[in-house]
Amino acid sequence: MSATPAHGHAPASPLTARQSRALSGRLRPPGDKSISHRALIMGLLAIGQTEITGLLEGDDVLRTAEACRALGAKVERLGPGHWRVQGAGLGTLQAPRETLDFGNAGTGTRLMMGVVGGHGITASFDGDASLRKRPMRRILDPLALMGVDVVSEAEGGRLPVTLRGAADPTPIEYKTPVASAQLKSAVLLAGLNSPGRTVVIETEASRDHTEKMLAYFGAQIVSEAFGAHGRRITLEGRPTLRGRDVIVPADPSSAAFPLVAALIVPGSDVTIEGLMMNPLRIGLLDSLMEMGADITILNPRIEGGEDVADLRVKYSALTGADIPAARAPSMIDEYPILAVAAAFAKGETRMRGLHELRVKESDRLAAVSDGLNACGVANRIEGDDLIVTGSASVPGGGTVATHLDHRIAMSFLVMGLASAAPITIDDANMIATSFPTFRPAMEQLGATFG
Ligand code: S3P
């Protein structure tokens, strides 16, 4: 199931999406990627057994499972999405014998840097060409404050990186310079094995899955409001973490693709099941509803400690909207697909404050703009804003460069389901990092590829 061999990529596998009949039916997106990574990591750090159901079996998460094994956990697949982790236990991780290769996965890398940083072990981290371009300085800086030794790094704080962790990490109070759940989580995970209290302050709240899961596994952690939009998180070091069962809800970031597909393919009526509705993850829904999307929230419930619901989505005549920068942390991975929705919306959509998009699996701001240009959609970048001018009829007909970025790949395939001419992406391989069943799941709704 590996999407990328170490440091390289499989031969490119182009894919074309064509104008499709009305999409209909029900779809359950795969398990949430963020929660899947964290469930495995918590299983590694806990004493006893953690059973996970609904785990995303995408390449990114499988790399984290492999890293957990290398650090001393017993990790077994019991069935589809059903995994068991026998923890190594906080404070007693083993040094990995080989480089931890995270493939395309920024989340796995950065969270695991925190875990290793909080233990007196040495480990090397590496990944594919996309991951090697991504900034790790934001993680290395706070870890250094905690006593972690950065033994080696590539130019500019990039992978490959070797860390010598701190056996007694210094408890710190750290204000994150960017709204990043990966950064926040790395500091918290390193602080977990600190003989004191670690405090992380963020001025814009980012996704809170690490905090929730730490509490669920037995850590003492308090999250309070900080300023208008921020959080102050306080974690007591060296808790006893005990293995727990984790149910992984469906990933709203993956659901975004069938959701927008249903909005733009005329006549569509699709129900998306079991979707995580964590308020720090669903900025896209607010944005689409402001644009006139016909989305009905059905059967809201709590599952595995998260808000979950089903969504009924119908084809909608969308209009452009002004998307505020403050919403970015709650929809940070959804801008490529929002840009696709905006291409079909009447008038201009302005998406503000997208600087973090430049350091994702690709420079997503540039990749989206280039892709829109290739498909005949008027757009411009002004500073950190992307402005898209939509119309009911999108020409399509282009080939889009995905730059090893799964979300660019899926976004433009969705566009091709409703554009006048087909759209080809240069490589579909990376889709397996987060949504391995994307193609058959979309085909079952009526999408035409190939
Ligand atoms: C993630 C956080 C986000 C997001 C990524 C997953 C996480 O990154 O883009 O896909 O699971 O913590 P940042 O924290 O860097 O914004």
Side-chain angles (χ1 to χ4, degrees):
M1 196 177 290
S2 207
T4 49
H7 323 306
H9 352 118
S13 164
L15 186 62
T16 299
R18 299 171 192 283
Q19 216 175 57
S20 301
R21 62 172 163 83
L23 304 179
S24 65
R26 304 176 77 84
L27 176 149
R28 186 181 165 99
D32 186 68
K33 183 149 75 77
S34 294
I35 292 187
S36 295
H37 283 295
R38 287 162 173 81
L40 290 166
I41 290 172
M42 292 308 300
L44 162 73
L45 296 172
I47 297 166
Q49 204 164 282
T50 291
E51 242 181 77
I52 308 166
T53 45
L55 187 86
L56 166 64
E57 294 177 331
D59 189 67
D60 277 16
V61 173
L62 299 181
R63 302 287 179 141
T64 292
E66 212 34 68
C68 288
R69 282 194 188 109
L71 290 164
K74 187 173 168 205
V75 183
E76 293 167 280
R77 183 175 191 265
L78 305 177
H82 188 189
W83 290 61
R84 183 160 61 206
V85 184
Q86 192 70 41
L90 181 66
T92 53
L93 303 189
Q94 73 183 31
R97 280 196 294 268
E98 287 167 16
T99 295
L100 302 174
D101 185 341
F102 282 96
N104 195 244
T107 307
T109 309
R110 292 178 171 143
L111 268 55
M112 223 38 129
M113 282 181 167
V115 169
V116 166
H119 288 77
I121 56 174
T122 298
S124 298
F125 297 78
D126 204 354
D128 70 5
S130 153
L131 193 55
R132 280 184 172 198
K133 284 190 201 149
R134 299 182 67 184
M136 297 297 154
R137 173 67 51 218
R138 56 178 61 186
I139 308 295
L140 303 180
D141 283 347
L143 291 184
L145 296 175
M146 301 175 88
V148 176
D149 188 10
V150 182
V151 179
S152 67
E153 64 184 63
E155 208 188 322
R158 292 191 157 71
L159 297 184
V161 163
T162 298
L163 297 182
R164 188 178 306 122
D168 294 302
T170 311
I172 59 169
E173 178 169 315
Y174 192 71
K175 195 167 182 178
T176 58
V178 278
S180 163
Q182 296 178 357
L183 167 51
K184 167 177 65 180
S185 302
V187 175
L188 291 173
L189 289 167
L192 207 49
N193 198 31
S194 161
R197 186 176 285 175
T198 298
V199 178
V200 180
I201 296 168
E202 48 180 8
T203 48
E204 296 280 345
S206 64
R207 64 192 69 190
D208 58 359
H209 308 304
T210 300
E211 296 92 304
K212 281 180 151 179
M213 219 177 273
L214 281 168
Y216 180 61
F217 276 74
Q220 247 184 290
I221 183 164
V222 176
S223 176
E224 304 156 288
F226 182 87
H229 307 289
R231 309 296 300 173
R232 179 191 164 92
I233 301 129
T234 306
L235 172 70
E236 301 294 336
R238 301 204 167 152
T240 302
L241 302 174
R242 295 204 187 279
R244 300 289 308 263
D245 292 346
V246 178
I247 300 167
V248 183
D251 193 329
S253 298
S254 295
F257 302 106
L259 196 161
V260 169
L263 291 175
I264 63 174
V265 175
S268 296
D269 183 350
V270 167
T271 299
I272 298 173
E273 295 175 337
L275 192 70
M276 176 165 63
M277 296 288 282
N278 180 316
L280 294 166
R281 292 290 301 281
I282 53 167
L284 177 73
L285 292 185
D286 297 332
S287 301
L288 291 171
M289 286 184 181
E290 283 171 16
M291 294 167 76
D294 184 346
I295 301 174
T296 312
I297 298 173
L298 303 167
N299 193 15
R301 54 202 187 268
I302 306 267
E303 271 178 23
E306 291 283 359
D307 292 318
V308 165
D310 306 328
L311 300 184
R312 183 165 181 193
V313 188
K314 293 186 190 166
Y315 170 72
S316 304
L318 301 173
T319 38
D322 193 327
I323 312 298
R327 199 176 289 158
S330 68
M331 55 175 297
I332 192 65
D333 292 333
E334 280 67 81
Y335 285 101
I337 193 63
L338 179 64
V340 170
F344 290 86
K346 193 164 162 244
E348 257 190 21
T349 296
R350 178 180 283 264
M351 294 161 245
R352 295 178 186 271
L354 306 190
H355 49 92
E356 271 296 295
L357 256 57
R358 294 203 181 275
V359 292
K360 294 297 177 187
E361 284 82 332
S362 66
D363 174 346
R364 277 189 183 152
L365 196 45
V368 168
S369 177
D370 292 348
L372 292 172
N373 287 333
C375 298
V377 179
N379 74 96
R380 59 188 196 279
I381 295 172
E382 284 178 9
D384 289 335
D385 297 355
L386 174 65
I387 301 105
V388 177
T389 306
S391 80
S393 169
V394 169
T399 295
V400 174
T402 55
H403 303 283
L404 295 177
D405 190 326
H406 54 132
R407 300 204 198 278
I408 299 296
M410 288 184 275
S411 295
F412 283 97
L413 287 174
V414 167
M415 178 178 267
L417 302 179
S419 57
I423 294 175
T424 299
I425 57 163
D426 64 354
D427 187 10
N429 282 326
M430 303 315 291
I431 292 172
T433 61
S434 66
F435 198 160
T437 54
F438 174 78
R439 183 175 176 176
M442 295 296 295
E443 282 173 341
Q444 209 163 19
L445 297 178
T448 308
F449 298 113

